[in-house]
Amino acid sequence: MYIRVAIFCTSVITENCTLSISGYSIQTKYLLNLYSKYLPAPYFFRCHNSYFVNCQYVDCFSCYEVILKDNLRIPLSRNKKQKFRENLIEF
């Protein structure tokens, strides 16, 4: 049996990393940098120091935030705005 899950975003709050997967949140002790090895571009993008987003679930974005299809709002770093736009075009 093959189960497919969708990672919407990952975030770091204090010392824990939270994976938001198919409506569930999973807390881990691993650093967000560890996940960058396993979350391939252009499908995932680190839009802020504390967040990765799954580009398949991006609805729109503004100068300051990324809005996912479930209306979850994720901050968008000013320094990463242009790269994020290019990543969405590539995606």
Side-chain angles (χ1 to χ4, degrees), residues 8-9 20 51 66-74:
F8 296 106
C9 68
S20 298
Y51 292 91
V66 176
I67 303 171
L68 301 181
K69 291 182 180 176
D70 62 350
N71 288 327
L72 182 63
R73 295 174 182 267
I74 307 295

Side-chain angles (χ1 to χ4, degrees), residues 19-58:
L19 299 175
S20 298
I21 303 172
S22 299
Y24 297 97
S25 292
I26 300 171
Q27 296 271 330
T28 69
K29 294 283 184 182
Y30 298 109
L31 297 175
L32 202 55
N33 283 338
L34 174 73
Y35 295 106
S36 65
K37 299 175 188 176
Y38 303 105
L39 300 174
Y43 299 104
F44 291 90
F45 186 82
R46 192 165 189 172
C47 61
H48 190 274
N49 286 341
S50 300
Y51 292 91
F52 272 99
V53 294
N54 185 337
C55 293
Q56 294 175 321
Y57 294 96
V58 172

